Every structure is written in structure tokens, then in C-alpha cells.
Amino acid sequence: MPQYSSADSVAGRLTRWPAFPYGVWVRVSLWASVTVVAVLFGWGAWQRRWIADDGLIVLRTTRNMLAGNGPVFNAGERVEANTSTAWSYLMYLGGLVSGSARLEYVALTFALLLSVLGIVLVMLGTARLYAPTLRGRQALLLPAGALVYIAVPPARDFATSGLENGLVLAYLGLLWWMMVCWSQAPRGQRTSRAFDLTLAGVAGFSVLVRPELALVGGLALVMVLVATQGWRRRALIVVAGGLLPVAYQIFRMGYYGLLFPGTALAKDATGAKWQQGFTYLANFNQPYLLWAPAVLLIGLAVMVLLLCGRPSRGVRPVRRDTGWPARAVQSPTAVVVFILVSGILQAAYWIRQGGDFMHGRVLLTPLFCLLAPVAVIPLMLPDGRRMARGAGYLYAGATSVLWLAVAGWSLWTANSPGMGSDATRVTYTGIVDERRFYAQATGHAHPLTAADYLDYPRMRAVVTAIENTPDGALLLPSGNYDMWDVVPAYPPPPDAPPDYVGPHTVFFTNLGMLGMNVGLDVRVIDQIGLANPLAAHTARIEDGRIGHDKNLFPDWAVAEGPFFKEKPYIPSYLDEDWIRQAEAALKCPETESVLTAIRAPMGARRFLSNLLHAAEFTRYRIDRVPLYELRRCGLPIPEPVNAPYTGLPPTGP
């Protein structure tokens, strides 16, 4: 074991890589733990590999970007259908680099690698947290919280899935590691300007990973600002932390005409569904008894504090008094509090939101944060230096028993059936095991590509229906899973070329599988509002299924398109009067302004107008019932198609 001649050399060693130089057993056990957990997580995630329908939504946007249509879901309609800006552009970059490789495989590769990287970074960050207390002591660093995380089945499900969960893990792992490094700067000394600015940039980037992660990154940025001395350096930190997110926010407001992603508008992210949120929390906890590892990990944390003492800065020279607030904030204890508070805030946010319709997905982030301080734990080998040898054996034995209990729970949970028989059924909770649902519905154990989803009900039929309607049509889902109801488009103009293909619009919930199996010239919209601007601006249905609690009637899709609007061309479940009323309601001046903001050609004037009116457009709501929308706008009601006989002369609107 190396010896150090001065406190300065100790301080220097702790601020350089590697961060944990004390003792062969510490280093070997740490890297062994990291390797084993990374391999187990990667292998477990690969065994459950898949691409979700929502993951395919991202790839439809990627296809449009690669085709030169911009970051949109439908060409000519600027709708931000993806929540994670960083994930969207990472997929675009992957598509550019990979060339002819399938985008699904690009998403799978990035998601898996980033998920494993996240678990590695969080373990290294926690190991560094305990490095000062392990100086000169014999100990083993064992995985604890990291084992708990990878054991939970949804963690392995969403390690692939084509969604941004892997990016979130990598981001949080990096931020945790950097915050621990920052907290261990020698007392009285500053971390380097480059490190502080990089940390500020990483913290500010949070909102581009996912909007709600601003609660995490923003708190980290505030801590760095409090600990920083000098207004000039603070100004640089603000610029580093805010430059990229502010620049993108300006772009979002000017390009999309909204203050936040379209997905947040579609799901009314500012709303509150506490009761559903607690139902979601119970749904996540019940199959795995998550309270059990929580109790065990708290016990391990207590053992660590008793054996190691509070994580401290070690022996450092005091060269300049930076003041109590700075010393208190830039400390390992404060950073541990930071990550725990971040986890609690994330959990509270999602419970307030009502959770999600995918089992466990949105609670993985708070779980990851709460487990970070005990991702690994030191098993101190008794040496008689800090306590009597007998007490040392007692504490080491208690720690070993608790750790074995955590390992046993992890093994049991890793093989848990999860939601059991309710996994693929949409019950009153609205929550399903999304991976198992689509594996069952498609007949593929690992649905990875858009082609795999052609075996989902209606998917092959929609491709056939588009081929059979060269003059264009609106396709609506039929009660028969092998058919689509067709509303024909207006006939082509007399001077249309021989190879003319009319406009196609498909109105369906599953945007990802649909959008990736049809051409980019086909407009794909939904009743929920993820890709449909009209549906997005309707009010949230209070008792609707979580994540699907907007429902625009298909009459609007007929009304706004170049499709026949009367019988016998429309299905029997559509109403001619509703269609005529919806057509009239689309002329509401405020609605026209919202639609013009995203459909008119983009130029400097349009960008500036959207920028100035983004808040107004974000607040705007329409009524999904055409008659009520006409009354809200003060527009005349069209004459009924088949007015009932009253014996009275007809009256005006």
C-alpha cells in the first residue's frame, strides 16, 4: 500500500484518477464489482431486448430529419412528438454515421450501451465518495444499490426499448460522479475553472435529456453557484449551464410555437392525478416488495457510517476560508443529500402526474437516484484501528448478513413474474407490462424492428389499404382487425400526372409502428395528440387512461382533410353534421393561428411570430365536441343535413 509524505500529496491523489488508490483489496473488489454488475445488467437487458412503439415514434422523427424534412413527425407539420431532445438528435447522429443500418438497431445499440455506462458511472461515483474514509484500511467494495436496480425487471426492460431511459441513466451516473469529484476538492482550494464549467454544462443539459430532469440539474447548478467565489466566475457558470438549453428553448418556441415538447402538451404535464400516481407506485412496488431492499439498504448505510464514519474530505490544508455556505454546499454530505432529494423530487413529480401506462418506467429514475449513495458499500475488514477487534468482527458480520439479504432479494426479484396475469391486460389501472404486451400481440419474443410490428393487429392491413387507394384516402381503424375503414379523397385534378398518388392520412393510436411501416408522404395522426396538433390542444379527460387521456373524434380528421364528407363515403359511425360543424369550427381565428404557426412555411417572420406567441399557443385549448367548439368561438352553426320536421319555417343559424 503506497505511503504519502504530506497532506498535500493525499489531496493531490484524491483529485486525480484513479479516485480510489487505497489498498489492493479495495481496488480489486471495486473493479470486480463493476465488471460483474455491468455484465449482468447488459446480459439481462439483452435477454429482454425489444423496441417499444414509443421508441419507433422517435425513429419516425429521425427518418424525417435524415430526409431533410426537419425534426418533425409528419412532413410539413412542425410537431415535437418526442420528449427527449437529446435522444432525438442522438438517433439522428447515429443514423448519419451508420448509413444503411436499420435505425432500430442503432437505437438498440445506443440504449443498451448507455444503460450499462450509467450503472458503471454511478458505482464509480459512489466508490469515490468513500475513498477518503478507506485510506489505509482493508475493505471490500461490494455492489448493493446497483444490484437492487438491475434486479428490478422494468430496469432491464427499459435498458433497451428504443426510449431515452439508457440516456437518462448515463446522464445521472455522470452527474453523480462529477458532483462527488467536485465535493472532494481540497478545502480552501477551488476546483479548476474547466471542471466547474464542464459540471455546469452537464447540469444545464438535464432539461434536454428530459424536461423534468431540470429539477436535478437545476439543483446541481445552484449548488455550484453557491460554492463559487467571485461574480465573474459565477457569470461564466451561468452561461455554461444555460447556453445550450436556452438556445434550444428559443428554437423550440420559434419552430414549434410551444414552451415545452408537444408530448407534454398532449399529456397536460402540468396537471395533477395524485390518486392514479399512488396506484402507479403501488403497482411498481407490489410485485417486487421494494420496501424490503429499502430497509436492508438503510441498515447497510447505518453500518457504513458506524464502521467508516461520515465521508469526509480527508486531511487537507486549509489555505483560504471560503465561508460557511460554500463549505457546507461543496461537501460529500451535501452531495449525498442532493441526490436523495433529487430522487424524492422525481418521485413526487411522477406521482403527481399520475405515473404512466407502462409498468415501472417513470419510477426507474427516482429509484436510480435514491440508490446512488449505496450503489456500492464498503465491507470493512476488522483491523483494530478504529474500534476493538471484537466489535469490528461484529459490525463486519452484520454488514455481511445485510448484504447477503440484499443479494438474495435481488436474485428472487430478477426471476419475478412481475405483474403476473395482469401484465398484458388493460385493467382499471390502465397499466401494463409494455414489453410483454407487444411480445404477445406481435407473436415475437423480441419485437425489434418495424417489420416485426407488421404482425400487430391492423398493421399489414394498413399497408395494403394504402396500396389499394392510389387516389388518396383517410384510413380509420375498423372493428375488424384485418380491415380499415376508408374515406376516399377528392378525385385527382384533371391535369394530374399518370403516376399521381393522392394524399393519405391514417388515424390511429399506435403512432410508432404505423409511422415506421408507411412512407413519409403518409400523414400519421392520433386521437391522443402526440402527433395531432388538434388533439393536443383539447382538454384532458379526467378519468381517461393515464397517458391516453385525450380523445379527439375522427370526425375532425375528415373535416380538415381533402376527403369526402358525406354518406355513403363515410363510415356509419361518423355523423355528417358533426363533420360539417368541425369543418366550420376549424375557421375559428385562434385555431387558425395555432395551426398556421406549425403549418405555414418557416421563415424569419414566422419564427419571430411563433416566438412571441408561444405562451399563448401553449395555453390554447379547443373543445373536442364540434358543436361546443362553435359556441366557444362564437361561430354560426351550420344548417343540419337532415333537419327534423317541425312544421315551422326554417330559421337561420
Side-chain angles (χ1 to χ4, degrees):
M1 185 171 58
Q3 300 296 320
Y4 305 104
S5 58
S6 69
D8 285 306
S9 65
V10 174
R13 292 282 290 184
L14 283 174
T15 54
R16 294 197 301 268
W17 182 264
F20 14 80
Y22 307 113
V24 173
W25 286 108
V26 173
R27 284 177 286 172
V28 171
S29 61
L30 170 65
W31 289 111
S33 296
V34 168
T35 302
V36 168
V37 171
V39 169
L40 286 175
F41 191 32
W43 176 78
W46 179 256
Q47 292 298 312
R48 304 168 81 96
R49 63 195 179 277
W50 69 304
I51 299 290
D53 178 66
D54 285 42
L56 295 176
I57 292 177
V58 178
L59 299 185
R60 164 85 173 193
T61 300
T62 303
R63 286 176 63 198
N64 272 300
M65 294 171 74
L66 293 171
N69 297 327
V72 299
F73 191 81
N74 290 306
E77 196 167 55
R78 294 181 294 276
V79 173
E80 190 176 13
N82 309 327
T83 302
S84 174
T85 301
W87 183 246
S88 298
Y89 283 91
L90 184 60
M91 291 301 96
Y92 172 61
L93 178 62
L96 285 177
V97 173
S98 64
S100 59
R102 292 192 68 106
L103 291 174
E104 295 95 321
Y105 297 143
V106 172
L108 178 69
T109 302
F110 272 117
L112 185 56
L113 291 178
L114 287 170
S115 295
V116 174
L117 177 61
I119 207 74
V120 168
L121 286 172
V122 78
M123 293 177 73
L124 294 180
T126 306
R128 175 155 190 156
L129 178 71
Y130 289 113
T133 64
L134 299 180
R135 184 173 61 254
R137 304 190 67 183
Q138 294 295 326
L140 299 177
L141 282 173
L142 303 177
L147 273 184
V148 170
Y149 183 82
I150 69 171
V152 177
R156 284 169 283 136
D157 288 347
F158 292 103
T160 54
S161 83
L163 294 166
E164 69 280 352
N165 291 71
L167 178 62
V168 171
L169 290 193
Y171 171 79
L172 291 173
L174 176 62
L175 183 63
W176 167 244
W177 180 81
M178 293 188 72
M179 288 294 287
V180 171
C181 293
W182 173 77
S183 72
Q184 292 178 335
R187 183 171 296 172
Q189 295 183 14
R190 291 179 177 178
T191 48
S192 69
R193 176 183 296 179
F195 184 88
D196 282 356
L197 294 181
T198 303
L199 176 56
V202 170
F205 192 70
S206 59
V207 70
L208 299 181
V209 177
R210 276 194 67 93
E212 71 275 3
L213 289 183
L215 297 171
V216 181
L219 182 56
L221 195 58
V222 169
M223 292 176 68
V224 175
L225 282 172
V226 171
T228 299
Q229 303 298 307
W231 290 106
R232 184 167 180 265
R233 191 159 176 172
R234 284 177 176 170
L236 289 174
I237 288 173
V238 170
V239 171
L243 182 61
L244 192 57
V246 169
Y248 187 79
Q249 181 63 18
I250 293 172
F251 169 77
R252 170 181 284 144
M253 293 167 66
Y255 190 77
Y256 298 108
L258 293 176
L259 295 178
F260 39 69
T263 52
L265 177 66
K267 298 182 180 183
D268 268 353
T270 57
K273 283 194 170 184
W274 287 102
Q275 183 176 355
Q276 176 63 25
F278 285 112
T279 298
Y280 187 78
L281 177 63
N283 176 270
F284 185 40
N285 166 73
Q286 187 174 8
Y288 318 116
L289 304 179
L290 289 175
W291 58 266
V295 172
L296 294 172
L297 290 173
I298 290 172
L300 278 172
V302 172
M303 289 296 105
V304 169
L305 289 175
L306 290 173
L307 288 166
C308 302
R310 187 179 60 183
S312 63
R313 296 177 180 272
V315 182
R316 307 286 173 83
V318 180
R319 299 182 180 175
R320 178 171 58 244
D321 187 2
T322 55
W324 177 84
R327 290 198 307 271
V329 168
Q330 193 173 358
S331 68
T333 301
V335 168
V336 170
V337 172
F338 149 76
I339 199 68
L340 293 177
V341 169
S342 295
I344 293 170
L345 288 176
Q346 290 293 300
Y349 171 82
W350 282 113
I351 292 172
R352 181 183 185 274
Q353 277 290 100
D356 192 34
F357 62 94
M358 301 186 197
H359 170 62
R361 179 197 168 202
V362 297
L363 291 181
L364 292 174
T365 296
L367 178 65
F368 190 76
C369 291
L370 293 171
L371 293 174
V374 287
V376 295
I377 57 103
L379 174 60
M380 307 299 296
L381 304 178
D383 57 9
R385 298 186 184 185
R386 296 286 294 271
M387 61 181 64
R389 187 176 295 273
Y393 280 115
L394 178 62
Y395 282 113
T399 302
S400 300
V401 169
L402 289 170
W403 182 82
L404 287 173
V406 169
W409 175 91
S410 299
L411 183 62
W412 170 77
T413 301
N415 295 281
S416 166
M419 292 178 64
S421 60
D422 284 343
T424 59
R425 294 191 299 119
V426 182
T427 63
Y428 76 97
T429 67
I431 305 166
V432 298
D433 183 328
E434 195 83 345
R435 183 188 63 83
R436 288 172 61 185
F437 176 88
Y438 282 118
Q440 176 178 288
T442 62
H444 296 274
H446 304 287
L448 289 173
T449 67
D452 291 336
Y453 279 94
L454 285 173
D455 293 322
Y456 188 81
R458 298 191 176 96
M459 283 302 103
R460 291 190 188 277
V462 77
V463 176
T464 301
I466 291 173
E467 292 174 350
N468 291 341
T469 53
D471 290 342
L474 167 67
L475 303 180
L476 303 172
S478 167
N480 186 330
Y481 282 175
D482 293 325
M483 295 179 60
W484 285 77
D485 291 329
V486 176
V487 180
Y490 294 141
D495 56 349
D499 58 349
Y500 171 82
V501 177
H504 285 93
T505 296
V506 186
F507 187 84
F508 193 51
T509 305
N510 299 94
L511 292 172
M513 65 181 76
L514 182 59
M516 286 295 286
N517 278 304
V518 300
L520 295 179
D521 57 334
V522 177
R523 184 172 181 247
V524 178
I525 57 175
D526 61 318
Q527 75 272 31
I528 300 170
L530 294 176
N532 187 341
L534 279 176
H537 284 278
T538 59
R540 190 180 192 182
I541 300 173
E542 289 303 319
D543 295 325
R545 183 190 177 196
I546 191 68
H548 299 72
D549 38 13
K550 291 190 176 182
N551 189 6
L552 189 71
F553 297 108
D555 307 75
W556 290 89
V558 180
E560 71 167 341
F563 309 112
F564 284 99
K565 298 171 173 49
E566 60 276 336
K567 298 182 183 301
Y569 302 105
I570 60 174
S572 59
Y573 52 80
L574 296 184
D575 187 280
E576 288 184 61
D577 287 327
W578 275 50
I579 294 172
R580 293 181 65 187
Q581 291 166 8
E583 194 174 20
L586 288 170
K587 296 180 173 59
C588 181
E590 293 85 356
T591 303
E592 287 184 326
S593 296
V594 169
L595 296 179
T596 299
I598 62 172
R599 292 175 180 170
M602 178 52 63
R605 292 188 63 183
R606 170 53 48 202
F607 187 92
L608 182 60
S609 175
N610 286 359
L611 185 67
L612 295 175
H613 296 93
E616 175 187 343
F617 294 157
T618 302
R619 291 192 300 267
Y620 185 67
R621 295 292 183 273
I622 66 173
D623 198 299
R624 66 195 189 104
V625 178
L627 178 62
Y628 298 162
E629 175 63 7
L630 287 171
R631 290 174 176 170
R632 186 191 69 83
C633 289
L635 295 175
I637 300 172
E639 190 70 27
V641 174
N642 296 307
Y645 177 74
T646 63
L648 301 174
T651 59

